[in-house]
Amino acid sequence: MQPLVSVLCVCYNHENFVKTALESVYYQDYPNIEILIIDDCSTDESVEIIERFVREILLYASTLKENFIRTVFFQKNEKNIGNCKSFNFLFTKSSGKYIIDFSTDDILLDDRISGQVAIFENLSVEYGVIFSNAMLINEKEEFLDPHFPLEKTGVLEVFSQKTTQKVPSGDIYAHILEKYFVCTPTMIMRKTVLDELGGYDETLSYEDFDFWVRSSRKFLYFYQDKITTLKRILKKSHSTKFYDKTYDKQHNPHLKSTLEVCKKAFLLNISEEEHYFLAKNITYHQRQSLLMEDFSLVFDYQDLLETVISNIKITSKKPKNYAKRLVLFCAKYKIRLHFLYKTYLKIKNTLKKMI
């Protein structure tokens, strides 16, 4: 029998997408899947839709052939506990050799799981995570852009095209510190990776950067050059809260969580190159803290930045930050720049649509 794959589905206010999302999991061409669903106290009709889906699936299951195995578990949270805690709860209930963290506004392509399991079964145990390309879609499921740019071959079937850039694979730890590139919804993980890490860090407001840092220090990543997933881009998604001051009028929890992950990374670093990339990362998020008007966090990032830079002995490898004095000056005198930043983003997005 093929190894069991556990798909952990976290839902919060996805009434318009959750049925399609869950169907994309259930109707995979891979035979051995368990589907674990949690609703994190949605305020819309998500729970009713999930419950109806589960009832219909139980009726449909009796018609399936014996080698097509599906089990479904559903949990409703009485209060909102966040993605990390919700995922960890489902993880304690899971039994699969491989784990997929699935948000119920995304869509899996039919052969996503079978293809990734086949790759995993031929990789050494040093590889803990597989990730791939994805197609970004909007609320109407219209194609936007691929996560990684595709070559222009004239082939009508876009999902068969390869990426035009070299995507880091293998030991990606330093690359993770340098910039965001892994498309989270495309990942499949060995259960042993999450066991060793103790699941997601529940003290954080989001999970992926912390998971990438801690897991890539211990395990290799494999890039699958294929679109396996449709990733939905929503105007009010969890990731947009990085750039939304109204998320918390005094503090941005995502930026605070990022600071904590950067502190972990500093302790995990083993080379000056890693310290260099971490310093660049800290500098970027320090500027974001200023733009979100979280002035005290700007100085918290500065304290960590100075510690990291002090561990870079080769002068030529020290990051050059010409704007540092201006950032600290604006933070000291609480100069508010968020409105200008939001205006800049609106203009940038408008110009992008016109091109």
Side-chain angles (χ1 to χ4, degrees):
M1 180 182 292
Q2 295 270 41
L4 177 64
V5 176
S6 300
V7 184
L8 281 51
C9 309
V10 180
C11 177
Y12 179 68
N13 286 350
H14 288 160
E15 64 178 357
N16 295 325
F17 318 116
V18 63
K19 185 175 186 292
T20 300
L22 293 177
E23 287 177 344
S24 78
V25 177
Y26 196 88
Y27 295 113
Q28 287 286 301
D29 65 8
Y30 186 77
N32 195 15
I33 299 173
E34 64 174 5
I35 305 171
L36 299 96
I37 311 164
I38 190 166
D39 181 85
D40 196 17
C41 198
S42 291
T43 58
D44 61 8
E45 300 298 316
S46 293
V47 169
E48 290 79 359
I49 295 170
I50 296 171
E51 289 177 334
R52 190 181 313 124
F53 169 84
V54 172
R55 289 197 300 269
E56 292 173 354
I57 285 305
L58 291 176
L59 291 173
Y60 177 74
S62 61
T63 68
L64 299 179
K65 52 188 178 182
E66 292 183 1
N67 64 341
F68 190 81
I69 300 173
R70 296 287 187 272
T71 58
V72 180
F73 169 86
F74 178 44
Q75 165 78 21
K76 295 181 292 185
N77 288 346
E78 296 302 321
K79 63 178 181 178
N80 184 272
I81 62 174
N83 281 4
C84 295
K85 288 184 179 180
S86 294
F87 175 88
N88 283 349
F89 173 80
L90 291 183
F91 181 61
T92 64
K93 302 292 183 182
S94 67
S95 304
K97 180 179 180 180
Y98 302 116
I99 304 291
I100 293 176
D101 179 358
F102 182 62
S103 174
T104 56
D105 55 350
D106 296 325
I107 299 173
L108 305 185
L109 298 187
D110 293 348
D111 60 350
R112 153 79 184 267
I113 294 178
S114 60
Q116 291 187 325
V117 170
I119 294 172
F120 247 142
E121 291 293 285
N122 286 285
L123 289 174
S124 70
V125 294
E126 296 174 301
Y127 283 87
V129 179
I130 294 172
F131 68 103
S132 74
N133 204 352
M135 180 60 69
L136 309 183
I137 60 174
N138 60 20
E139 296 183 7
K140 298 178 181 180
E141 293 182 20
E142 297 169 332
F143 291 173
L144 301 176
D145 295 297
H147 179 79
F148 296 115
L150 296 174
E151 62 186 11
K152 296 180 180 179
T153 61
V155 179
L156 292 177
E157 181 51 68
V158 66
F159 297 103
S160 67
Q161 296 176 9
K162 301 300 182 181
T163 60
T164 58
Q165 65 187 75
K166 181 175 176 57
V167 180
S169 193
D171 182 358
I172 68 167
Y173 178 78
H175 298 285
I176 285 295
L177 297 182
E178 182 180 14
K179 64 180 179 179
Y180 157 75
F181 65 92
V182 174
C183 185
T184 305
T186 70
M187 295 193 311
I188 183 170
M189 305 162 275
R190 292 189 192 273
K191 183 177 186 294
T192 51
V193 173
L194 287 159
D195 285 334
E196 185 161 341
L197 297 182
Y200 292 160
D201 184 342
E202 296 183 2
T203 67
L204 303 176
S205 64
Y206 73 105
E207 72 287 342
D208 45 16
F209 183 39
D210 179 68
F211 174 79
W212 297 334
V213 167
R214 293 193 293 140
S215 63
S216 65
R217 181 81 286 177
K218 295 174 177 287
F219 299 92
L220 302 179
Y221 277 52
F222 182 90
Y223 174 64
Q224 177 188 14
D225 193 5
K226 179 180 180 180
I227 291 177
T228 66
T229 307
L230 304 183
K231 177 183 177 182
R232 199 179 301 272
I233 304 299
L234 302 175
K235 293 180 180 179
K236 296 184 179 180
S237 67
H238 197 60
S239 60
T240 61
K241 303 303 183 184
F242 265 105
Y243 312 103
D244 186 1
K245 182 175 177 291
T246 59
Y247 187 41
D248 185 312
K249 293 184 178 180
Q250 293 184 330
H251 303 288
N252 186 305
H254 287 359
L255 287 169
K256 176 64 175 175
S257 290
T258 300
L259 175 63
E260 296 307 313
V261 179
C262 288
K263 290 178 180 178
K264 293 183 187 182
F266 171 66
L267 297 177
L268 292 172
N269 285 353
I270 57 176
S271 71
E272 290 202 0
E273 179 186 46
E274 291 167 359
H275 285 314
Y276 171 78
F277 287 136
L278 179 58
K280 289 180 62 178
N281 191 312
I282 292 169
T283 299
Y284 170 79
H285 287 100
Q286 182 186 43
R287 291 199 300 267
Q288 289 302 122
S289 298
L290 174 64
L291 295 171
M292 294 303 106
E293 299 176 4
D294 195 338
F295 302 116
S296 63
L297 196 57
V298 171
F299 293 100
D300 292 338
Y301 271 108
Q302 182 62 26
D303 290 342
L304 178 59
L305 180 61
E306 291 176 358
T307 301
V308 173
I309 291 177
S310 70
N311 281 267
I312 301 176
K313 306 302 180 185
I314 302 176
T315 304
S316 61
K317 288 189 176 182
K318 292 181 182 289
K320 296 177 176 60
N321 181 12
Y322 300 110
K324 182 183 73 172
R325 290 183 181 179
L326 178 60
V327 169
L328 294 178
F329 175 86
C330 291
K332 180 179 179 181
Y333 293 100
K334 295 181 170 56
I335 298 174
R336 301 190 176 278
L337 301 172
H338 182 71
F339 174 75
L340 292 175
Y341 180 59
K342 294 292 284 189
T343 302
Y344 159 75
L345 290 178
K346 287 181 181 179
I347 295 173
K348 179 181 177 182
N349 290 334
T350 301
L351 293 175
K352 184 178 179 181
K353 291 177 182 178
M354 293 172 60
I355 297 175

